[in-house]
Amino acid sequence: MGIVTSVPRQTKSAVTLSVIVPYYNEQEVLPELHSRLTAVLEQLPETSEIIYVDDGSTDHSLQLVNRFTSSQSSIQSVALSRNFGKESAMSAGLEQSSGLAVILIDADLQDPPELIPDMLAKWREGYDVVNMQRAERLGETWFKRQSAAAFYRLLNSMVKSDIPENVGDFRLLAREVVDHINRLPERNRYMKGIFAWPGFRQATIQFQRDARFCGETKWNYFKLIGLAVDGITSFSIRPLRIATVLGGLIAFAAFVYGVIIVSKTLMFGDPVTGYPSMMVVQLALGGIQLLSIGVLGEYIGRIFIETKQRPLYLIQSINEKQPQQKLQAVETRA
Ligand code: UDP
Ligand code: MG
């Protein structure tokens, strides 16, 4: 009856592509990153926005970013109120983003911005998640590579959703996936797991991960171990089950051993011997008990943090800039 029923769904998307750059004290690389990134985005037919998320940098990174301009893309400079960690900074970027496709990229140029067109091509083919898999880890020590490989094996043996190996946070997510991720209530943001959790149609592109352009990695081994424990305990309860099974096995073995000792004593009589074996059993049991309590503690700690329902991050300021071309167009019209 002349009433249009199939109005295209109104999305708040003003742009097609959002590029999110979380950064923490990266003043040496940011200018180089910005020029390479904008050079790539200028070549794209899609409209784009760059969202820089300052994770409480203590150097001049934020002032630098606030001066960045681009002829094609709008720029959002979001500043968190302190260093909340990369996972939170990425969450902030995801929530600020409005693009139909969203790309997360490190500030240190380890993830080459020049791959963005390839990622978009996959997205246009219909994939919802484009994982960028490192073919080679340049500039990383043998030990780091080995420990990373071991970690992925352990993680994937414990977690149900498939967490792709050697895929960092560099990836493309379709709007739908971003919306789902933004709705996840948990405080503990283990992003590798969170990105894999929604599923959807996934594509993987292999790439050479460059060495850091300059500056130093913000990760040390303590932080990495923490991240590994986070990864496992926030996506799997298998460690608890392992503790249970281990307890059961040991109890059973103890029972059998007890029967043996009692019958041996009854048959042969037994003067007090076996101090070494007793010590070994005591220590082994004590160790396993402490470990299991530690595992329990990890989960209780997680429950504690989740129940507090604190926000993931606090935003101190947002500075938005339209593409310069558009601004000029408005001025001439006025
Ligand atoms: N980063 C961040 N907050 C932090 C630590 C790091 O936003 O607390 C950013 C950092 O500036 C970079 C990205 O996360 O853009 C990756 O960090 P880094 O290069 O130190 O990690 P790696 O590449 O060694 O895994
Ligand atoms: Mg890096």
Side-chain angles (χ1 to χ4, degrees):
M1 301 200 307
I3 297 169
V4 186
T5 45
S6 63
V7 185
R9 199 165 61 105
Q10 278 288 318
T11 53
K12 76 171 211 226
S13 289
V15 292
T16 308
L17 173 67
S18 302
V19 179
I20 300 173
V21 188
Y23 66 89
Y24 175 55
N25 292 348
E26 302 279 8
Q27 58 183 9
E28 297 91 0
V29 263
L30 281 167
E32 173 76 12
L33 168 85
H34 187 70
S35 68
R36 273 174 66 180
L37 187 58
T38 46
V40 171
L41 296 181
E42 274 164 22
Q43 302 303 316
L44 294 175
E46 283 89 358
T47 51
S48 55
E49 64 175 351
I50 309 175
I51 304 175
Y52 286 103
V53 185
D54 177 58
D55 189 15
S57 296
T58 50
D59 62 0
H60 298 293
S61 298
L62 181 61
Q63 288 91 312
L64 264 178
V65 167
N66 282 338
R67 284 202 298 271
F68 284 168
T69 56
S70 160
S71 60
Q72 294 293 323
S73 323
S74 57
I75 299 178
Q76 264 195 63
S77 166
V78 179
L80 304 187
S81 57
R82 66 171 166 83
N83 181 247
F84 282 90
K86 185 187 178 190
E87 321 274 312
S88 296
M90 285 192 290
S91 301
L94 288 177
E95 276 176 29
Q96 292 299 315
S97 72
S98 59
L100 298 174
V102 178
I103 289 177
L104 291 146
I105 189 168
D106 278 5
D108 59 2
L109 286 170
Q110 283 193 287
D111 311 328
E114 290 74 21
L115 293 174
I116 289 176
D118 299 345
M119 301 167 86
L120 279 172
K122 282 274 177 217
W123 172 65
R124 270 189 242 105
E125 274 174 39
Y127 290 101
D128 301 302
V129 178
V130 184
N131 297 307
M132 302 301 285
Q133 189 171 43
R134 296 171 221 180
E136 241 173 273
R137 292 170 158 242
L138 295 178
E140 287 183 356
T141 60
W142 177 88
F143 186 66
K144 169 109 191 239
R145 287 199 302 268
Q146 293 303 312
S147 49
F151 168 64
Y152 281 113
R153 274 199 299 277
L154 181 69
L155 183 63
N156 271 322
S157 69
M158 296 215 173
V159 173
K160 276 200 188 112
S161 52
D162 228 355
I163 296 181
E165 192 166 329
N166 278 337
V167 172
D169 297 316
F170 186 28
R171 76 186 72 212
L172 180 147
L173 302 166
R175 182 80 253 156
E176 200 183 357
V177 181
V178 173
D179 287 343
H180 285 302
I181 290 173
N182 285 343
R183 277 198 295 270
L184 291 183
E186 64 236 61
R187 308 292 101 190
N188 195 298
R189 297 304 240 193
Y190 181 67
M191 283 308 203
K192 283 190 211 309
I194 285 185
F195 291 144
W197 182 82
F200 291 94
R201 280 153 298 182
Q202 311 242 342
T204 302
I205 298 180
Q206 297 258 345
F207 79 111
Q208 282 268 343
R209 193 159 204 248
D210 298 330
R212 212 168 212 290
F213 181 71
C214 57
E216 272 182 9
T217 174
K218 310 288 182 298
W219 295 97
N220 55 36
Y221 270 98
F222 274 119
K223 275 198 187 172
L224 282 177
I225 290 172
L227 191 71
V229 172
D230 266 2
I232 292 168
T233 49
S234 55
F235 277 85
S236 164
I237 54 164
R238 192 158 294 172
L240 290 174
R241 192 146 311 148
I242 291 173
T244 313
V245 171
L246 213 60
L249 284 178
I250 290 171
F252 179 72
F255 176 74
V256 172
Y257 190 47
V259 171
I260 293 173
I261 290 177
V262 169
S263 33
K264 221 165 96 179
T265 313
L266 287 179
M267 283 188 275
F268 308 110
D270 200 9
V272 181
T273 56
Y275 173 76
S277 57
M278 205 168 77
M279 274 316 277
V280 169
V281 169
Q282 284 267 353
L283 291 178
L285 269 185
I288 288 167
Q289 271 173 0
L290 282 181
L291 188 77
S292 307
I293 292 174
V295 170
L296 269 181
E298 279 292 331
Y299 285 95
I300 294 176
R302 223 145 288 265
I303 297 170
F304 170 67
I305 289 169
E306 295 294 335
T307 51
K308 284 201 285 191
Q309 292 285 309
R310 294 241 172 105
L312 278 170
Y313 56 83
L314 297 175
I315 292 180
Q316 185 167 339
S317 66
I318 300 183
N319 188 330
E320 277 192 80
K321 250 181 236 157
Q322 293 307 309
Q324 288 190 320
Q325 279 188 343
K326 273 196 196 152
L327 269 184
Q328 281 159 4
V330 171
E331 276 161 17
T332 46
R333 230 180 293 144

